[in-house]
Amino acid sequence: MSGNDINRRDFLKFMGLGGAGAVTLSGCDMPTTVTLEEGKEEVVSYLAPEEYVIPGIGVWYASTCQQCPSGCGVHGRVREGRVLKLEGNPDSPVNAGVLCQMGQASLQGHYNPDRITKPMVRKGGNLTEVSWEEAIELVNSKVGAANGKVAMLTGAMSGHQAELMDTYLAKIGGKDHFVYETINNAVAEAVNAEMFGSAQPRYNLDKAGAVLSFGADFLATWVSPMHFSQQYAKFRTGNRGVLIAVEPNMSLTGANADMWVPAKPGTEGVIALGVANVLISKKMVDGSVLPVDALATISQYGVDKVTAETGVGGDVLVRIATYLKERSPSLVLAGASAQSNTGGSQVVAAVNALNILLGNVGKTIGAEDAFPVKSLAPRRGSSAALAAFAKGADAGDYEVAFIYNTNPLYSAPAGLELNGKLAKVGLKVALSMFPDETTLAADVVLPLASPYEDWGTQVPGYLPSEGGLNVQQPLMRPLYSTVKGLGDVLLVLAKAAGAEELNQYADFYAYLQAGFAAMPASIKGGMSDAEFWSKSRQKGFVAVANSQGSLNVKVGDLAQVADKAGSDFPMHLAPAARAGMYDGRNANLPWLQEQPDPITKVFWDSWAELHPSTAAKLGVKEGDFIRVESAQGSLEVQVYVYKGVHPDVVAVPMGRGHDEYGRFASREKGVNPLKLIGGDVDAKSGELALYSTKVRVSKTGRSAEMPRLGGSESQVGRRLVSTVSADVYRRTEGGGNNVA
Amino acid sequence: MLNIRIVSKLFDSGMRVVSRRRGLMALLMACCLGLGSGVAQAEVPNAVAPKGTHSGEHVPQPIDFPHDIHADINGINCMYCHTYARRSKVAGIPPTSKCMGCHSVIATDKPRIQQLTEYWEKNEPPRWKKVHDVPDFVHFTHEKHLQRFVFENEGMNVENVDQVCAFCHGDVKKMTVAEKTKPLTMGFCVRCHEANEGPSDCWHCHK
Amino acid sequence: MSLKNVLENWSDYRKGHEQGGHHDYEHMWVMAVDLDKCTGCNACSVACYAENNLAVVGKERMMKGQGMHWLRVERYWDEPQIGGDDGQFQSAGGSFLPMMCQHCNAATCEPVCPVAATYHTPDGLNAQVYNRCIGSRYCSNNCPYRLRYFNFFSYYEESWPEPLNQQLNPDLSVRDKGVMEKCTFCVQRIRTAKDTARREGRAVQDGDAVTACAQTCPTQAIVFGDMLDKESRVSKIWAKQQVELGKTKQVKANPELRGYRILEGLNTDPCIMYLDRVREV
């Protein structure tokens, strides 16, 4: 069924984006429940199709998924001018043919009934539909008068759009491009850069015999989940590696672990040093790979101290250490719950030190591949960027702010007090597809084409070997003639700002084509410009021989930052990220709303996770509403009680609780835990410490049935999901015995 | 010459499947009665008469396309325009470019051609009304039928494909705008499938 | 098989599977699901929504058990085979089970249908013919796996507000109220694969027909294929696990092998083999 051999050239000729030869083909063979009445349904022919386009037969075209920054390649099945289904691009080095739930559901963003279709400008307090000319003119005049006091606040970006945005920003004298992602790996990037000389080193889970994850949910939300899922599949075959997860509440990765250990957020570093201590004191590894200062620090984290601080027993530490040693090479990872703390940098430092101690560097941790064309390289997101933007906005640094592909009014922690600060920006220009909180607070709204209607390129934030520049090409003609692609909007703005070098490009398509022609010969591999352009679109990406960096190990201070004690707010809040709702951007996709959460099986609504012992103390049971209060505010939410959460933690996953964002996000509101989060940051990297907020939990007395997939949570002794020990597995299928 | 055993009388009054909500009982009764006696019933008591008609009701089209001029007077093969029929499940309305291939020079003074040219110049294909429709739960493929009755049919000449088309579409050659003259009901299909040993598995045709 | 055929060969039809089935099978589509690779991520389920025009019913109706998820991922907390979960924590994670129609060769749903709307195809599929279904729900009540989903309402009216309806797959119908539906092993994709092979004048090869769930599975835990093709990946996995169709109880030369079929003892002869989840203990 895959169409990778379809010649992709001249696609636009009949898809209409190229100008002449436009076609509409709605109504043809569209499933309805109306049947069999002659003269009722319409059939509309193509105007001038390509030879290979045959009504009734799907054609697959390559593009790139934009639902998260990991940049999976997709094939879209196009029939009668509509894109019907997405599948992973089997050739893509990122995802090799597979796709997660968010990628599958991204079509519902494209076809979303709540898309913004017309430009809007705030007039007399209300957003009013205007023409593109009027909106652009207003933006140009304000930017012209701003004297360079312009900021860009965007989600993760890369490729030619990012390049064009830089050109525009430079032209208007602005310099501030803030790249903000709520779900990021920014603390680790900062620490990795310092310790390894590589911000995002390459991880090889498939080569590891044991993986210890401190909250790194690499199967769902961390860095490049589809890429790591494939590595995970290899990790689990043959000799079957051991997965250990240490985290405050169970993530998808934790649910797949052989050994799941609860930890309070921020104490992961203590546990990591405790494991290091066991490894050294039991002479399992040679400590001399670490500097003396580091060894001195580690020696302070003896089993008793670690157990006292974290509640993790000595036997657990020994078991972890033994797995890591015996199944060497291993890999230790730090994710959001470990990083996103006031002492986050120190936690990552301890995790990296553990990797160094175990000899994993160079084996399961490789040097980063840097994308050779600097102007296209990924701008990875961080939350420090949002804090910096908020600070600048508050100080009146910005007359104009462009906001693209991010919804900070929803996702900013309450402690940042963004609403008031953003209001100080003279003109807020939202480049957006949906009426989300931030877009509706903007002064100018420019409706964008969906990723499947627009041109672009992306370099994945995590670049696998063989990885390169992903091509994003339209899978169909825009649903609305009044929306524009991001590149086209930027081009119009940049030309108006006097970027004369851009005048030769009629549209972003021309800019992109020229950009491909201008690529270095090493990337083009001897192809002619036309051939290279055609091949790249057909394949969906450009493989690049990336420049291989090297890892320089440097270990600094490993001492952990102690948790702030506070008796008013005794519990930790875990604003967990889940694939599905992700950072809230997917709350308008009904397929994902209806998917039961993998762990709790809750759909369409928010929940709070509590440990049975905590629930018993509070006197609550599943379905009861609890009040979760922090210094920032409070929310009320139903409880799910299970043993996959630390007793001192209440976990409320993020993604729901939108005030705006269309019908599906607001149908069942849910709650937004980010509105309880204070303004604490990781001192070293400046990243917002999303897991440092302390809360108080109380009973409300209200109760209701939990919106949860029904059925027993126990197998009642039946062989439904049967489990065998790894020893049996290795005996029968281990090593080279495996068929699958 | 035609290797289709044409069944003389089609039972066409009772087996019309209509929109599920209205016709459920009719369908059920038709099924049971039809099977109970082992032979298809010409008349099914209490059945709901089929919606629409197959007696050649005129469907107004954006342009009164004359099939007779094309297929009869000029003898153009059906598959010259309905070119997808042999390759896809749908026969397809020819792309506007195909019409213009001839009519940028032929008969450009005729009002219907001028109408067509207007569409072409606006980059907008005409919105035709569907005449031959099967319910949405039916998977019908032109390709397989053409394979069976034209290309893999010994003695059948591709030039005479219109005779095969006519089995379901009527003698379109003699019509201007196509009209439905055959019932296209399940009974209509099954008769032919039984006579020609076509597949009888439900999921072959129902989706 | 036509209805006539069903009626005339009723008793054979019910008894046949243990002797290799009543049909002359053209294909026997089966699956193997490795529960150790399955991460419970839901990608399969959403892919199924995208491929099969599954209606979104909303919170209230989901709570009443009216969700139309042909493929649901179940999650259990206990592990009866490796001994309970008496500890303080869920220390070996969860147990995920993707459940879709098991396409039983001795399907309990088929004989109870009063109008033969559900039957077995010569491809070994448990078929559901929507336009024949009268909504008695007997099949659903008789399914031991609870994998049939009934349209209690016209869900489509609210499920695809324009232009969401433009995503609907034209290769299968949109079901209205009063109709039972369930996983079809993506029969439209099988049909397309067979048509393509026929057009190209060749036999259907392993990998031509892949269900949406198997295609998208991030860890490739789901393998789909034709059991009659001895060289297919899936039949090799079944053979390796020493699990055979047409058996009520498997006799394995190596009883430690992981393959099993769910509730096999009920004599339903399901076409999906699961492979045990594995944990370090």
Side-chain angles (χ1 to χ4, degrees):
Chain A
M1 296 267 296
S2 130
N4 28 350
D5 53 351
I6 295 291
N7 187 331
R8 184 53 192 71
R9 210 166 35 204
D10 298 332
F11 175 54
L12 286 182
K13 221 189 243 171
F14 69 87
M15 289 304 289
L17 284 166
V23 63
T24 41
L25 203 79
S26 60
C28 186
D29 208 10
M30 176 93 92
T32 58
T33 48
V34 179
T35 61
L36 203 68
E37 288 175 67
E38 49 208 279
K40 289 283 156 57
E41 289 181 30
E42 283 187 338
V43 244
V44 185
S45 71
Y46 282 101
L47 201 62
E50 289 303 317
E51 199 52 30
Y52 58 81
V53 173
I54 298 172
I57 297 180
V59 182
W60 297 81
Y61 295 104
S63 193
T64 301
C65 178
Q66 306 283 306
Q67 217 60 21
C68 87
S70 59
C72 293
V74 294
H75 277 176
R77 178 182 176 223
V78 180
R79 230 187 93 174
E80 279 89 81
R82 296 178 286 133
V83 52
L84 301 174
K85 174 82 178 17
L86 296 179
E87 293 184 353
N89 178 349
D91 299 328
S92 166
V94 179
N95 57 319
V98 307
L99 206 57
C100 74
Q101 53 174 329
M102 303 190 286
Q104 287 287 354
S106 60
L107 279 184
Q108 290 206 314
H110 165 69
Y111 288 119
N112 202 284
D114 297 315
R115 273 179 66 177
I116 305 173
T117 58
K118 300 259 176 59
M120 291 185 284
V121 164
R122 193 167 296 280
K123 287 181 179 171
N126 295 319
L127 283 173
T128 315
E129 286 182 1
V130 296
S131 68
W132 268 97
E133 290 73 23
E134 186 182 339
I136 293 286
E137 200 170 308
L138 176 66
V139 173
N140 281 338
S141 71
K142 293 279 184 180
V143 167
N147 272 328
K149 290 172 82 175
V150 179
M152 299 279 177
L153 178 63
T154 73
M157 276 182 91
S158 61
H160 288 86
Q161 309 88 291
E163 184 184 70
L164 195 55
M165 190 174 270
D166 284 353
T167 310
Y168 175 50
L169 205 52
K171 209 67 193 176
I172 57 180
K175 53 188 183 318
D176 294 330
H177 180 180
F178 300 102
V179 185
Y180 162 54
E181 290 285 341
T182 315
I183 298 175
N184 61 49
N185 194 32
V187 176
E189 281 162 19
V191 177
N192 290 342
E194 202 172 286
M195 291 180 78
F196 295 144
S198 174
Q200 183 59 78
R202 173 172 304 151
Y203 296 114
N204 301 309
L205 275 85
D206 47 341
K207 290 185 186 144
V211 172
L212 169 58
S213 159
F214 289 100
D217 193 3
F218 57 81
L219 294 175
T221 55
W222 188 73
V223 181
S224 191
M226 286 303 96
H227 188 65
F228 291 134
S229 288
Q230 313 228 17
Q231 291 193 351
Y232 170 82
K234 286 187 198 146
F235 166 76
R236 287 298 208 194
T237 39
N239 279 324
R240 195 180 183 278
V242 183
L243 176 61
I244 306 151
V246 182
E247 52 195 10
N249 71 315
M250 195 174 275
S251 66
L252 188 69
T253 305
N256 285 285
D258 293 285
M259 190 176 170
W260 185 83
V261 180
K264 283 185 284 188
T267 63
E268 292 89 344
V270 176
I271 298 169
L273 294 181
V275 173
N277 186 295
V278 171
L279 282 165
I280 293 170
S281 62
K282 292 208 179 267
K283 305 241 179 327
M284 290 194 258
V285 295
D286 178 10
S288 67
V289 291
L290 290 177
V292 182
D293 291 353
L295 290 174
T297 311
I298 290 171
S299 67
Q300 290 164 24
Y301 289 88
V303 168
D304 293 343
K305 178 181 158 85
V306 173
T307 305
E309 281 188 22
T310 67
V312 176
D315 54 332
V316 174
L317 294 178
V318 171
R319 210 178 140 201
I320 294 176
T322 313
Y323 276 138
L324 291 177
K325 175 62 196 144
E326 282 182 357
R327 305 294 175 82
S328 182
S330 55
L331 180 59
V332 191
L333 303 169
S337 56
Q339 293 179 18
S340 202
N341 285 298
T342 44
S345 288
Q346 293 307 104
V347 175
V348 180
V351 164
N352 282 351
L354 191 51
N355 272 317
I356 295 164
L357 189 66
L358 286 159
N360 299 334
V361 180
K363 287 180 185 157
T364 54
I365 303 176
E368 177 177 22
D369 285 331
F371 190 76
V373 185
K374 202 89 189 137
S375 64
L376 306 179
R379 285 77 163 154
R380 296 192 193 102
S382 69
S383 60
L386 181 67
F389 170 77
K391 199 173 159 205
D394 193 34
D397 288 351
Y398 307 120
E399 295 290 332
V400 182
F402 290 88
I403 302 167
Y404 161 69
N405 199 17
T406 183
N407 182 11
L409 286 189
Y410 167 81
S411 62
L416 212 55
E417 290 165 345
L418 187 67
N419 290 47
K421 292 173 183 171
L422 189 65
K424 293 184 183 174
V425 175
L427 189 79
K428 300 170 287 292
V429 184
L431 298 139
S432 174
M433 275 174 70
F434 301 112
D436 59 29
E437 288 85 344
T438 312
T439 302
L440 292 184
D443 306 300
V444 179
V445 178
L446 302 178
L448 289 190
S450 88
Y452 302 120
E453 300 166 341
D454 197 8
W455 284 101
T457 53
Q458 273 84 34
V459 180
Y462 177 86
L463 201 61
S465 51
E466 318 291 317
L469 185 68
N470 289 336
V471 180
Q472 173 202 342
Q473 68 181 335
L475 297 174
M476 67 183 279
R477 182 185 183 191
L479 285 168
Y480 310 101
S481 58
T482 45
V483 299
K484 284 188 196 300
L486 172 70
D488 284 315
V489 175
L490 289 173
L491 197 64
V492 167
L493 292 172
K495 281 181 187 172
E500 281 167 15
E501 71 274 20
L502 297 175
N503 285 341
Q504 55 180 308
Y505 307 116
D507 52 19
F508 184 65
Y509 178 77
Y511 177 83
L512 195 63
Q513 214 171 355
F516 270 67
M519 294 255 195
S522 60
I523 295 180
K524 283 203 263 189
M527 280 185 266
S528 73
D529 288 350
E531 198 185 349
F532 178 60
W533 175 234
S534 162
K535 273 265 170 346
S536 310
R537 285 175 297 154
Q538 189 182 338
K539 215 171 148 198
F541 65 96
V542 181
V544 173
N546 300 309
S547 55
Q548 187 90 21
S550 59
L551 295 182
N552 304 307
V553 174
K554 190 171 140 238
V555 181
D557 181 19
L558 298 181
Q560 296 298 303
V561 179
D563 187 35
K564 279 186 299 185
S567 54
D568 276 1
F569 299 105
M571 302 230 347
H572 291 260
L573 173 68
R578 294 286 169 86
M581 293 300 108
Y582 202 68
D583 60 0
R585 68 179 66 175
N586 296 334
N588 63 343
L589 308 181
W591 288 341
L592 298 183
Q593 284 280 8
E594 191 132 323
Q595 281 307 310
D597 173 71
I599 309 298
T600 61
K601 293 292 158 192
V602 175
F603 42 72
W604 279 106
D605 213 338
S606 295
W607 67 92
E609 295 169 18
L610 281 184
H611 190 269
S613 63
T614 317
K617 255 185 261 165
L618 274 173
V620 293
K621 58 180 190 321
E622 178 181 311
D624 288 356
F625 281 85
I626 53 167
R627 184 177 298 110
V628 185
E629 285 169 275
S630 76
Q632 309 295 327
S634 76
L635 53 81
E636 289 185 10
V637 63
Q638 277 179 290
V639 177
Y640 179 73
V641 180
Y642 77 130
K643 296 195 285 189
V645 57
H646 191 284
D648 291 342
V649 171
V650 53
V652 184
M654 57 173 140
R656 290 195 171 92
H658 283 272
D659 292 324
E660 309 283 351
Y661 204 27
R663 67 193 78 184
F664 298 112
S666 54
R667 197 195 278 185
E668 314 290 342
K669 200 163 174 238
V671 297
N672 181 3
L674 296 163
K675 295 302 166 215
L676 297 186
I677 309 258
D680 290 345
V681 295
D682 167 44
K684 219 163 169 183
S685 64
E687 279 298 299
L688 296 170
L690 299 183
Y691 278 79
S692 282
T693 300
K694 301 299 238 6
V695 292
R696 181 167 58 217
V697 176
S698 54
K699 186 176 172 174
T700 64
R702 270 197 308 141
S703 187
E705 191 192 340
M706 195 82 183
R708 200 166 74 70
L709 190 69
S712 167
E713 303 217 294
S714 150
Q715 305 185 41
V716 210
R718 294 168 299 177
R719 193 181 189 190
L720 301 178
V721 187
S722 159
T723 304
V724 296
S725 80
D727 294 338
V728 169
Y729 172 83
R730 287 195 195 90
R731 217 162 31 234
T732 55
E733 291 173 64
N737 263 342
N738 205 288
V739 200
Chain B
M1 184 185 66
L2 252 179
N3 197 11
I4 305 176
R5 276 178 279 164
I6 294 177
V7 184
S8 60
K9 189 176 185 315
L10 297 162
F11 75 115
D12 51 15
S13 54
M15 287 287 282
R16 191 60 164 276
V17 180
V18 298
S19 171
R20 324 189 38 67
R21 284 198 272 178
R22 292 184 295 257
L24 216 54
M25 279 318 288
L27 168 63
L28 173 61
M29 296 186 70
C31 287
C32 294
L33 289 165
L35 282 152
S37 58
V39 288
Q41 294 281 310
E43 296 295 329
V44 179
N46 300 326
V48 177
K51 267 224 151 193
T53 160
H54 54 271
S55 59
E57 189 176 282
H58 180 76
V59 176
Q61 298 287 4
I63 301 174
D64 284 331
F65 178 84
H67 279 93
D68 48 357
I69 297 179
H70 290 82
D72 194 21
I73 299 173
N74 290 311
I76 300 170
N77 190 299
C78 303
M79 290 197 300
Y80 180 80
C81 297
H82 297 289
T83 169
Y84 304 121
R86 79 192 103 159
R87 293 185 281 175
S88 172
K89 54 189 258 185
V90 296
I93 305 287
T96 319
S97 58
K98 186 147 229 157
C99 309
M100 292 308 290
C102 296
H103 285 298
S104 51
V105 288
I106 297 171
T108 49
D109 56 330
K110 300 281 169 59
R112 285 190 293 224
I113 304 305
Q114 283 162 354
Q115 240 181 313
L116 172 73
T117 314
E118 250 175 64
Y119 276 109
W120 174 247
E121 281 168 357
K122 275 191 295 182
N123 270 343
E124 198 183 279
R127 305 184 81 84
W128 304 100
K129 295 284 183 194
K130 220 169 181 174
V131 175
H132 291 96
D133 194 11
V134 290
D136 291 331
F137 47 75
V138 173
H139 170 79
F140 174 84
T141 144
H142 279 86
E143 182 220 349
K144 281 187 184 170
H145 289 87
L146 284 187
Q147 287 293 338
R148 166 67 181 81
F149 292 115
V150 181
F151 300 109
E152 292 165 9
N153 196 359
E154 216 173 306
M156 179 66 209
N157 194 332
V158 179
E159 271 76 70
N160 298 324
V161 69
D162 57 318
Q163 297 175 15
V164 175
C165 302
F167 187 68
C168 300
H169 291 286
D171 201 1
V172 180
K173 265 165 109 170
K174 300 292 176 203
M175 304 174 194
T176 54
V177 170
E179 288 168 358
K180 188 166 157 189
T181 59
K182 302 288 173 138
L184 304 189
T185 55
M186 180 163 156
F188 178 80
C189 298
V190 168
R191 274 289 178 95
C192 190
H193 272 235
E194 284 187 345
N196 291 288
E197 285 160 5
S200 61
D201 178 57
C202 309
W203 253 8
H204 240 91
C205 309
H206 286 295
K207 60 181 189 182
Chain C
M1 171 180 289
S2 69
L3 185 54
K4 187 168 154 239
N5 218 347
V6 175
L7 293 172
E8 282 174 5
N9 300 299
W10 190 256
S11 52
D12 281 356
Y13 171 68
R14 281 305 302 147
K15 284 188 293 197
H17 77 280
E18 282 187 317
Q19 289 88 50
H22 166 67
H23 290 283
D24 244 352
Y25 285 109
E26 293 163 25
H27 299 278
M28 175 58 75
W29 301 107
V30 299
M31 245 179 210
V33 183
D34 188 341
L35 297 179
D36 193 40
K37 286 220 185 85
C38 172
T39 63
C41 75
N42 279 349
C44 48
S45 185
V46 180
C48 185
Y49 270 76
E51 175 71 31
N52 289 307
N53 301 343
L54 302 191
V56 168
V57 300
K59 177 175 157 182
E60 300 302 320
R61 286 173 178 168
M62 279 289 281
M63 286 171 75
K64 292 186 177 131
Q66 294 180 23
M68 302 307 280
H69 35 57
W70 286 3
L71 195 177
R72 60 168 189 255
V73 182
E74 298 180 353
R75 189 265 303 113
Y76 297 99
W77 287 132
D78 63 342
E79 299 147 323
Q81 285 77 21
I82 54 171
D85 56 339
D86 306 332
Q88 200 195 344
F89 296 109
Q90 196 63 44
S91 54
S95 302
F96 296 107
L97 179 65
M99 282 298 276
M100 58 295 245
C101 174
Q102 306 283 307
H103 289 271
C104 310
N105 281 341
T108 49
C109 52
E110 291 171 9
V112 295
C113 179
V115 292
T118 180
Y119 74 102
H120 233 63
T121 75
D123 274 9
L125 299 171
N126 171 251
Q128 177 72 22
V129 183
Y130 304 128
N131 54 313
R132 179 166 260 162
C133 173
I134 57 164
S136 74
R137 292 183 278 143
Y138 294 169
C139 55
S140 160
N141 289 335
N142 222 30
C143 171
Y145 306 99
R146 284 283 167 270
L147 288 164
R148 291 181 150 262
Y149 301 94
F150 188 64
N151 286 275
F152 284 95
F153 297 95
S154 293
Y155 298 121
Y156 73 90
E157 289 175 347
E158 285 163 25
S159 187
W160 296 281
E162 281 183 29
L164 266 181
N165 60 337
Q166 293 204 30
Q167 184 275 331
L168 289 171
N169 187 350
D171 292 343
L172 68 160
S173 6
V174 174
R175 284 78 59 186
D176 201 345
K177 86 173 159 196
V179 174
M180 188 63 71
E181 59 181 74
K182 57 153 206 98
C183 161
T184 64
F185 267 177
C186 286
V187 66
Q188 67 281 3
R189 293 169 73 111
I190 296 176
R191 204 182 273 144
T192 305
K194 284 163 77 175
D195 285 356
T196 306
R198 184 187 190 274
R199 199 175 296 133
E200 292 170 4
R202 58 176 175 84
V204 178
Q205 292 156 3
D206 192 28
D208 279 356
V210 184
T211 57
C213 52
Q215 192 284 327
T216 209
C217 177
T219 54
Q220 295 291 289
I222 305 176
V223 179
F224 177 78
D226 183 1
M227 195 65 162
L228 299 186
D229 173 4
K230 291 294 161 215
E231 292 308 303
S232 71
R233 228 175 116 219
V234 76
S235 59
K236 283 184 182 165
I237 297 172
W238 278 59
K240 183 90 185 173
Q241 295 294 336
Q242 298 171 1
V243 176
E244 284 176 50
L245 282 175
K247 295 257 173 78
T248 307
K249 195 170 173 17
Q250 304 293 335
V251 184
K252 294 185 178 193
N254 180 357
E256 281 193 332
L257 284 168
R258 293 192 294 145
Y260 68 103
R261 296 186 295 170
I262 293 179
L263 306 184
E264 192 178 50
L266 295 179
N267 190 17
T268 50
D269 198 17
C271 276
I272 300 182
M273 177 185 73
Y274 290 86
L275 278 78
D276 290 329
R277 166 181 179 266
V278 184
R279 285 295 184 268
E280 298 284 340
V281 284

